[in-house]
Amino acid sequence: MSLIGDNVARILAELPPGVELVVAAKARTPAEILEAVEAGVRIIGENYVQEAAEAFAAVGRRAQWHFIGHLQTNKVKKAVEIFDMIETVDSADLAAEIDKRGRSAGKIMPVLIEINSGEEEQKFGVRPQDAEALLLALARHQNIRVQGLMTMGPFEGDPEDARPYFKIARRLFEDFKTLGLPGVEMTYLSMGMTNSYRVAIEEGANRIRIGTKIFGPRS
Ligand SMILES: *Cc1c(COP(=O)(O)O)cnc(C)c1O
């Protein structure tokens, strides 16, 4: 098997039941992504709509496509065509655009709300204290289905440093379950990357997003 295939197999073997791997594919070629899919990857995460369109042309619906980057409203139409889920909804305006484009495409778009757990200026996502208001706004849209939460946490450093970020997202996830809002489910908690996925799983993640550990360092 290829190196990419070996890495995928090793991670899949390590994951507890119920935890799914999302392969973070930014800056990788369609051929590399295809190798990961052939090794058993079922979900591909893309940060850029244009890059996703190129990879999609090679892989198609052999895998599911998750948008995990920052989505600009002028890219929503294309995103709604390609993606099975948008993991990074963080504003009412973006949600309204997804709802509108979903309606024209006849599609109910599954989304996650991105939480900026660290309240870091340079990161996207809704601040934890504003998340419930956003959830209520999203729940009103007919062509959006909220299915959970996503958070980033630090990219590098000691994995333990990420734990408090994951705890914040987990607490909201559990709180929102109790709200019983129509059209809203809290099924997926997407958190953890190459450096932090083990801690994320301990803190309740059931979707982890891995790039470097599968493909090697980004050049
Ligand atoms: C790049 C990226 C990842 C994966 O990061 P690695 O450290 O390469 O595993 C996960 N989530 C998002 C949103 C990313 O942009």
Side-chain angles (χ1 to χ4, degrees), residues 24 26 47 68 150 152 155 193-194 209-212 218:
K26 59 177 173 282
N47 293 62
I68 62 172
M150 177 271 205
M152 289 286 292
F155 259 105
M193 304 181 282
T194 290
R209 308 179 309 271
I210 306 282
T212 308
R218 281 180 287 275

Short mmCIF file of all heavy atoms in Angstrom, two decimals, residues 24 26 47 68 150 152 155 193-194 209-212 218, ligand 1:
data_model
loop_
_atom_site.label_atom_id
_atom_site.label_comp_id
_atom_site.label_asym_id
_atom_site.label_seq_id
_atom_site.Cartn_x
_atom_site.Cartn_y
_atom_site.Cartn_z
N ALA A 24 -8.50 16.21 6.03
CA ALA A 24 -8.34 17.63 5.67
C ALA A 24 -7.41 17.70 4.46
O ALA A 24 -6.22 17.44 4.55
CB ALA A 24 -7.76 18.40 6.86
N LYS A 26 -6.65 20.23 2.22
CA LYS A 26 -6.18 21.48 1.60
C LYS A 26 -4.75 21.33 1.08
O LYS A 26 -3.92 20.69 1.72
CB LYS A 26 -6.28 22.65 2.57
CG LYS A 26 -5.50 22.51 3.84
CD LYS A 26 -5.62 23.78 4.69
CE LYS A 26 -4.97 23.58 6.04
NZ LYS A 26 -5.79 22.81 6.98
N ASN A 47 -11.10 23.27 2.39
CA ASN A 47 -11.15 24.65 2.88
C ASN A 47 -11.51 25.66 1.80
O ASN A 47 -11.84 26.79 2.11
CB ASN A 47 -9.79 25.07 3.45
CG ASN A 47 -9.41 24.33 4.70
OD1 ASN A 47 -9.28 23.11 4.66
ND2 ASN A 47 -9.25 25.02 5.80
N ILE A 68 -14.79 22.87 5.35
CA ILE A 68 -14.24 23.14 6.69
C ILE A 68 -13.47 24.46 6.75
O ILE A 68 -12.81 24.75 7.74
CB ILE A 68 -13.33 21.97 7.18
CG1 ILE A 68 -12.12 21.77 6.25
CG2 ILE A 68 -14.13 20.68 7.29
CD1 ILE A 68 -11.10 20.76 6.79
N MET A 150 -18.68 22.46 15.50
CA MET A 150 -17.28 22.27 15.10
C MET A 150 -16.44 23.31 15.82
O MET A 150 -16.91 24.42 16.07
CB MET A 150 -17.21 22.47 13.58
CG MET A 150 -15.84 22.38 12.95
SD MET A 150 -14.96 23.97 12.89
CE MET A 150 -13.86 23.64 11.52
N MET A 152 -12.03 24.66 16.24
CA MET A 152 -10.65 24.50 15.78
C MET A 152 -9.69 24.22 16.93
O MET A 152 -9.03 23.20 16.95
CB MET A 152 -10.18 25.77 15.08
CG MET A 152 -10.84 26.01 13.74
SD MET A 152 -10.21 24.92 12.45
CE MET A 152 -8.55 25.52 12.26
N PHE A 155 -3.53 25.10 16.43
CA PHE A 155 -3.01 24.23 15.37
C PHE A 155 -1.80 23.41 15.83
O PHE A 155 -1.57 22.31 15.38
CB PHE A 155 -2.54 25.08 14.18
CG PHE A 155 -3.53 25.10 13.05
CD1 PHE A 155 -4.31 26.21 12.81
CD2 PHE A 155 -3.67 23.99 12.23
CE1 PHE A 155 -5.23 26.23 11.77
CE2 PHE A 155 -4.58 24.00 11.18
CZ PHE A 155 -5.36 25.13 10.96
N MET A 193 -7.27 17.86 15.43
CA MET A 193 -6.47 17.79 14.21
C MET A 193 -5.27 16.90 14.51
O MET A 193 -5.24 16.22 15.54
CB MET A 193 -6.05 19.20 13.81
CG MET A 193 -7.26 20.11 13.64
SD MET A 193 -6.86 21.80 13.13
CE MET A 193 -6.31 22.50 14.66
N THR A 194 -4.28 16.91 13.62
CA THR A 194 -3.14 16.00 13.79
C THR A 194 -2.55 16.06 15.20
O THR A 194 -2.30 15.03 15.81
CB THR A 194 -2.06 16.34 12.73
OG1 THR A 194 -2.55 15.95 11.45
CG2 THR A 194 -0.75 15.61 13.03
N ARG A 209 -10.57 15.86 12.21
CA ARG A 209 -10.15 16.34 10.90
C ARG A 209 -8.63 16.30 10.81
O ARG A 209 -7.94 17.05 11.49
CB ARG A 209 -10.66 17.77 10.68
CG ARG A 209 -12.17 17.95 10.93
CD ARG A 209 -12.57 19.40 10.71
NE ARG A 209 -11.72 20.31 11.46
CZ ARG A 209 -11.94 20.71 12.71
NH1 ARG A 209 -13.02 20.31 13.36
NH2 ARG A 209 -11.09 21.52 13.32
N ILE A 210 -8.12 15.39 9.99
CA ILE A 210 -6.68 15.14 9.96
C ILE A 210 -6.11 15.39 8.57
O ILE A 210 -6.61 14.85 7.58
CB ILE A 210 -6.39 13.65 10.32
CG1 ILE A 210 -7.03 13.26 11.64
CG2 ILE A 210 -4.88 13.39 10.32
CD1 ILE A 210 -6.31 13.71 12.86
N GLY A 211 -5.05 16.17 8.50
CA GLY A 211 -4.34 16.38 7.24
C GLY A 211 -2.91 15.87 7.29
O GLY A 211 -2.54 14.87 6.69
N THR A 212 -2.08 16.57 8.09
CA THR A 212 -0.65 16.31 8.13
C THR A 212 -0.31 14.85 8.43
O THR A 212 0.59 14.28 7.80
CB THR A 212 0.00 17.22 9.20
OG1 THR A 212 -0.41 18.57 8.93
CG2 THR A 212 1.52 17.12 9.17
N ARG A 218 2.54 20.12 4.97
CA ARG A 218 2.17 20.92 3.79
C ARG A 218 3.38 21.72 3.35
O ARG A 218 4.03 22.35 4.16
CB ARG A 218 1.01 21.87 4.13
CG ARG A 218 -0.34 21.18 4.13
CD ARG A 218 -1.46 22.14 4.47
NE ARG A 218 -1.44 22.50 5.88
CZ ARG A 218 -2.02 21.78 6.85
NH1 ARG A 218 -2.64 20.66 6.56
NH2 ARG A 218 -1.96 22.16 8.09
C1 LIG B 1 -5.87 21.99 7.96
C2 LIG B 1 -7.05 21.76 8.81
C3 LIG B 1 -7.15 20.63 9.62
C4 LIG B 1 -6.07 19.56 9.71
O1 LIG B 1 -4.88 20.05 10.22
P1 LIG B 1 -3.61 19.07 10.36
O2 LIG B 1 -2.84 19.71 11.47
O3 LIG B 1 -2.90 19.12 9.05
O4 LIG B 1 -4.11 17.72 10.71
C5 LIG B 1 -8.31 20.45 10.35
N1 LIG B 1 -9.31 21.34 10.32
C6 LIG B 1 -9.25 22.45 9.56
C7 LIG B 1 -10.39 23.38 9.57
C8 LIG B 1 -8.12 22.70 8.80
O5 LIG B 1 -8.07 23.81 8.06
#
